[in-house]
Amino acid sequence: MSVTQQQVLNALARVRSPRGVALTDANVLSPIAANDGKVFFSINVDAAEARAWESIRAEAEAAVRAIPGVTVAMVALTAERKPGSAPPPAPHRHGPGVQPVSAHRPPQSPASPMSKQSEIPGIAAVIAVASGKGGVGKSTTALNLALGLRDLGLRVGLLDADIYGPSVPRLTGIHEKPQLNDERKMIPIRRFGLAIMSIGFLVEEETPMIWRGPMVMSAITQMLRDVAWGTLDVLVVDMPPGTGDAQLTLAQNVPLKGAIIISTPQDLSLIDARRGLAMFRKVNVPVLGIVENMSYFQCPQCGTRSDIFGHGGARHEAERLGVPFLGEIPLHMSIRATSDSGTPVVDSEPDGPHAAIYRAIGARVRDQLQGVIAAA
Ligand code: ADP
């Protein structure tokens, strides 16, 4: 059953705002996305008022979920610090002029950038897969790495936090929508033995997604914490590309046990990779290592290897920067074809050479996380 924007507005008109008027008259609502029973919008308020609005966010979400036909409702509370106004006392401020508000965090001391973090119950290690820029194969690597970790006997989840261009629906062939459990948490889709969640499951592929800074964090926080992940050894987070404020905020907010940087051999992307490294170091997230993707060209017919891109740059760079080099993945048609057809190579060609490469990278990652996983 399809739900219209008007139905959503009617429901929201019955929610009273702290400003004494109906929520729909408070001038705080973003445009409402209502597609196929899935409703998404944000409430944008000034940071100073944010606390008072948290219960309204929950009320608004409940009101929308109560509309017949709504399968998923996600309401983000975002708060913006007006230029020139004093920063709010808590929680910690991050990013220029931007104050994301999380629904699920206890008040924290603003002393350290990591003070906003709290573990996600049931998940031993959350790790980020990041890249300095788009198109380097970050998502392909994140998924196949998750599968490599699965093959090592770990319980693994994959969160597609690349909210600007979620590619996990395409890479996994998942087109179904997550259902809600009794606690109103989204149930991740299980495929290939992984628990998978992506914002792309909630919106239509053609829907352009334009996110204002604070919404990014709010949406990602909800995808982390309002999802019934169950018990996982590792949750692999496919980060948005780049190393801007959104990424920094995410790295500060999510209790990451480590980050992996994907780079192609080209110099430019290595410069970007260096930025990524600096970013994670700034927020004390250990860099588990660098992966060189599309490292060399492997001829699909004869298997001959050609180092057409001046391969080896990432290994050298990793050595220079003192971080582990996790492995190199060739540019190969079958990686591309399996990725683009929703049948990731580690799963569809488990005995092939590429699966072995991803598993080897997975093993290096697992070894570094061993202590954390064992402790959990
Ligand atoms: P990103 O997440 O960095 O934007 P993707 O994982 O979406 O990148 O990959 C971009 C494109 O490159 C996709 O078409 C994917 O199939 C292809 N690709 C990624 N890694 C490889 C590889 N090692 N060999 C061949 N094609 C690849």
Side-chain angles (χ1 to χ4, degrees):
M1 195 194 312
S2 73
V3 176
T4 62
Q5 288 181 342
Q6 194 54 52
Q7 280 176 286
V8 175
L9 288 171
N10 292 346
L12 296 178
R14 291 193 286 276
V15 176
R16 259 195 114 57
S17 78
R19 294 180 187 172
V21 295
L23 185 54
T24 39
D25 294 326
N27 206 17
V28 293
L29 295 179
S30 73
I32 289 165
N35 285 311
D36 200 18
K38 296 169 297 299
V39 178
F40 184 80
F41 62 93
S42 70
I43 300 174
N44 310 304
V45 297
D46 190 74
E49 300 175 281
R51 286 252 166 105
W53 282 83
E54 179 40 43
S55 60
I56 309 303
R57 185 204 71 81
E59 253 183 74
E61 203 167 76
V64 173
R65 282 196 180 130
I67 302 171
V70 168
T71 51
V72 174
M74 198 148 132
V75 181
L77 176 61
T78 72
E80 206 158 3
R81 196 162 57 82
K82 296 229 170 77
S85 68
H92 183 73
R93 178 166 65 95
H94 29 197
V98 170
Q99 169 68 51
V101 178
S102 153
H104 307 275
R105 294 174 189 287
Q108 302 271 359
S109 134
S112 117
M114 311 305 276
S115 60
K116 285 185 66 61
Q117 299 189 345
S118 61
E119 302 291 333
I120 301 168
I123 304 182
V126 182
I127 61 171
V129 175
S131 65
K133 61 174 191 175
V136 301
K138 172 181 54 60
S139 301
T140 301
T141 310
L143 172 58
N144 281 298
L145 170 67
L147 291 166
L149 292 166
R150 171 206 70 178
D151 287 352
L152 297 168
L154 299 179
R155 290 161 296 185
V156 186
L158 176 70
L159 170 60
D160 179 5
D162 187 350
I163 56 170
Y164 301 104
S167 39
V168 164
R170 174 174 51 87
L171 301 182
T172 56
I174 296 173
H175 299 293
E176 64 201 84
K177 312 297 174 198
Q179 302 297 312
L180 297 178
N181 70 7
D182 292 344
E183 293 166 346
R184 296 240 159 241
K185 289 194 167 199
M186 283 183 274
I187 303 168
I189 308 287
R190 285 212 76 86
R191 185 73 49 93
F192 315 118
L194 305 176
I196 306 177
M197 186 64 204
S198 166
I199 192 90
F201 299 159
L202 307 178
V203 292
E204 297 310 314
E205 220 161 285
E206 308 80 54
T207 310
M209 273 186 278
I210 301 161
W211 300 83
R212 289 164 62 249
M215 279 179 74
V216 173
M217 195 52 230
S218 192
I220 292 172
T221 303
Q222 287 191 44
M223 285 204 296
L224 267 171
R225 295 179 190 276
D226 289 354
V227 170
W229 288 109
T231 306
L232 296 179
D233 295 308
V234 183
L235 177 64
V236 177
V237 180
D238 182 9
M239 295 270 281
T243 50
D245 282 342
Q247 289 78 8
L248 186 63
T249 307
L250 182 63
Q252 283 178 337
N253 277 263
V254 177
L256 295 173
K257 290 289 187 284
I260 297 164
I261 294 172
I262 314 298
S263 177
T264 58
Q266 283 90 335
D267 223 6
L268 178 64
S269 108
L270 286 178
I271 293 167
D272 289 332
R274 271 201 289 276
R275 280 201 201 106
L277 199 69
M279 179 185 85
F280 287 115
R281 285 192 166 152
K282 197 165 156 185
V283 291
N284 298 325
V285 172
V287 173
L288 303 174
I290 296 180
V291 172
E292 188 171 85
N293 189 35
M294 311 194 200
S295 177
Y296 50 91
F297 176 71
Q298 205 172 16
C299 170
Q301 273 84 40
C302 61
T304 312
R305 166 179 173 149
S306 339
D307 293 342
I308 48 178
F309 310 112
H311 133 270
R315 179 189 289 276
H316 182 250
E317 195 59 23
E319 275 164 19
R320 208 178 67 76
L321 295 165
V323 295
F325 181 67
L326 295 173
E328 49 197 37
I329 302 162
L331 175 72
H332 196 281
M333 265 315 287
S334 72
I335 298 180
R336 178 178 203 111
T338 51
S339 229
D340 295 351
S341 65
T343 55
V345 72
V346 172
D347 197 73
S348 56
E349 299 172 17
D351 301 323
H354 304 124
I357 291 173
Y358 287 111
R359 274 197 292 272
I361 295 173
R364 286 180 202 115
V365 170
R366 185 228 15 222
D367 291 350
Q368 294 191 62
L369 296 174
Q370 202 85 41
V372 180
I373 295 171

